[in-house]
């Protein structure tokens, strides 16, 4: 018994020394705010006194578009769309709780309902009576949650490789998300987060490798280590995710555009097809050779497709 305890103690000591040696510290909030929160960034108070990092660009009297980023991303993922859209639309994007410069949720609530509640607070604070809502991946699932509860607030819904479809098709995934779903390993990831792991996860998520720049890798790596975000990631991945039913999707009464990369390794193209077939009147635009981030991998084409769709709905100026 004493020998077993000694061995256990030795192993524990080795593990703690290893963890201490390779531990990746949190980033400094002030340095991150200076690097990623310069104008036009602002901080909007929601949830009482919690500040959400937000960018609100374009004419204030133009039709509004709210953009929701995906898991472990941040508002900067939408930069190509913003540059294409802000001349004729009011474009709003923000770091959701547990991401970017916003940091963890004050109540540790990472359910789709909680994210949708925050979206409603942001829209109310900005005085948005009606707006177009677009979301990628996790953000698309949150957009669906909001659309199901508040369809009257939306002039259009845009699902970009969105989460939440009731499909069971196996996908390759990426190493970061795979490890985050493993309880013991995810705890270690909360302490040891190599930059190389972030790079590999990004490259496994996209088909257009040209978008994975050194600056992009740094941003994902640094903002993941913003104080509280790694713990939030563990809690978010531990939160059960229940797909929307076909009955829920069929009940949607919002003009819907479904944008999908056919080579998505995280959420299969079959999910996009199901959304388009089930949501009444939904339009599907598919991109061959593109992965999970078509708003970055095929930025010009996807932004143009979005503008054409909005114009067809009578939202904003006509394209061309």
């Amino acid at each position: 018994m004493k020998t077993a305890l000694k061995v256990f103690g030795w192993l524990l000591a080795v593990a703690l020394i290893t963890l201490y040696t390779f531990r990746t510290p949190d980033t400094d909030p002030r340095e991150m705010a200076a690097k990623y929160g310069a104008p036009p960034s602002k901080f909007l108070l929601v949830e009482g006194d919690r500040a959400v990092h937000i960018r609100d660009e374009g004419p204030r009297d133009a039709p509004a578009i709210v953009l929701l980023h995906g898991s472990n991303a941040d508002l900067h993922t939408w930069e190509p769309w913003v540059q294409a859209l802000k001349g004729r639309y009011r474009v709003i994007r923000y770091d959701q709780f547990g991401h970017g410069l916003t940091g963890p949720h004050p109540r540790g609530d990472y359910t789709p309902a909680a994210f949708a509640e925050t979206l409603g607070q942001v829209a109310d604070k900005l005085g948005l009576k009606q707006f177009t809502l677009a979301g990628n991946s996790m953000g698309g699932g949150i957009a669906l949650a909001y659309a199901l509860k508040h369809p009257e607030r939306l002039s259009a819904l845009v699902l970009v490789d969105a989460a939440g479809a009731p499909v069971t098709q196996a996908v390759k995934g990426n190493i970061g998300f795979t490890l985050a779903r493993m309880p013991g390993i995810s705890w270690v990831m909360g302490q040891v987060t190599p930059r190389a792991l972030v790079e590999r996860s990004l490259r496994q998520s996209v088909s257009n490798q040209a978008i994975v720049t050194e600056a992009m890798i740094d941003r994902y790596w640094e903002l993941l280590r913003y104080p509280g975000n790694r713990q939030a990631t563990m809690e978010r991945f531990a939160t059960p995710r229940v797909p929307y039913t076909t009955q829920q999707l069929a009940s949607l009464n919002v003009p819907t555009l479904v944008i999908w990369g056919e080579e998505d390794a995280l959420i299969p193209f079959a999910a996009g097809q199901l959304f388009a077939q089930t949501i009444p009147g939904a339009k599907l635009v598919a991109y061959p050779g593109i992965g999970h981030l078509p708003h970055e991998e095929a930025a010009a084409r996807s932004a143009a497709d979005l503008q054409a769709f909005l114009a067809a709905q009578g939202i904003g100026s006509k394209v061309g």
Side-chain angles (χ1 to χ4, degrees):
M1 184 66 178
K2 289 183 179 179
T3 301
L5 288 174
K6 286 182 179 179
V7 171
F8 175 77
W10 181 81
L11 290 173
L12 180 61
V14 169
L16 290 174
I17 291 171
T18 302
L19 185 64
Y20 178 79
T21 302
F22 293 100
R23 181 177 178 272
T24 318
D26 285 344
T27 48
D28 183 272
R30 290 172 297 182
E31 291 180 4
M32 293 299 97
K35 186 172 184 178
Y36 299 111
S41 285
K42 297 180 181 179
F43 289 86
L44 186 70
L45 293 180
V46 300
E47 293 284 342
D49 60 351
R50 291 308 298 258
V52 166
H53 176 218
I54 188 169
R55 290 190 174 182
D56 182 356
E57 300 171 77
R60 288 299 180 270
D61 59 348
I65 303 175
V66 177
L67 305 172
L68 302 179
H69 64 74
S71 180
N72 291 90
D74 57 85
L75 61 76
H76 295 277
T77 188
W78 296 108
E79 189 63 31
W81 271 24
V82 173
Q83 294 306 317
L85 298 170
K86 68 179 183 179
R88 63 181 67 183
Y89 298 99
R90 179 182 180 184
V91 188
I92 298 155
R93 49 188 165 142
Y94 63 95
D95 290 340
Q96 302 192 73
F97 278 117
H99 299 79
L101 300 179
T102 295
H105 192 282
R107 301 191 307 274
D109 189 347
Y110 299 103
T111 59
F115 280 114
E117 180 183 0
T118 299
L119 167 60
Q121 293 176 3
V122 169
D124 289 344
K125 288 271 187 176
L126 296 177
L128 304 181
K129 295 182 179 179
Q130 194 169 53
F131 54 95
T132 293
L133 178 60
N136 168 240
S137 193
M138 177 194 80
I142 294 164
L144 276 167
Y146 188 85
L148 287 166
K149 192 169 183 179
H150 301 287
E152 75 286 350
R153 296 286 296 271
L154 300 184
S155 49
L157 175 66
V158 184
L159 303 176
V160 184
D161 292 63
V167 296
T168 57
Q169 180 178 324
V171 292
K172 294 179 182 178
N174 69 40
I175 188 171
F177 288 2
T178 299
L179 294 176
R181 292 187 179 94
M182 302 169 66
I185 300 298
S186 68
W187 182 85
V188 174
M189 286 181 63
Q191 305 296 319
V192 181
T193 312
R195 184 180 184 276
L197 177 66
V198 173
E199 178 178 2
R200 186 177 176 190
S201 295
L202 283 171
R203 293 196 180 281
Q204 290 174 333
S205 301
V206 303
S207 293
N208 180 2
Q209 294 293 313
I211 71 163
V212 184
T213 63
E214 294 299 309
M216 180 184 190
I217 298 166
D218 282 343
R219 190 183 83 240
Y220 271 76
W221 184 50
E222 291 171 346
L223 292 179
L224 175 59
R225 294 185 294 118
Y226 188 86
N229 282 354
R230 285 185 285 187
Q231 177 64 32
T233 297
M234 289 188 287
E235 293 175 5
R236 183 162 45 80
F237 274 92
T239 302
R241 289 289 182 263
V242 179
Y244 298 102
T245 65
T246 53
Q247 290 80 9
Q248 286 176 303
L249 298 175
S251 72
L252 276 172
N253 186 27
V254 178
T256 301
L257 173 65
V258 180
I259 290 176
W260 221 275
E262 290 187 4
E263 293 186 3
D264 192 333
L266 274 63
I267 305 178
F269 180 49
Q273 293 174 309
L274 186 146
F275 281 137
Q277 293 165 3
T278 310
I279 298 173
K283 177 183 179 181
L284 173 64
V285 179
Y287 302 144
I290 298 299
H292 191 59
L293 305 177
H295 54 294
E296 293 192 83
E297 295 182 66
R301 179 182 171 188
S302 58
D305 286 337
L306 170 61
Q307 291 184 78
F309 173 78
L310 295 178
Q313 310 305 315
I315 303 169
S317 305
K318 291 185 178 180
V319 177

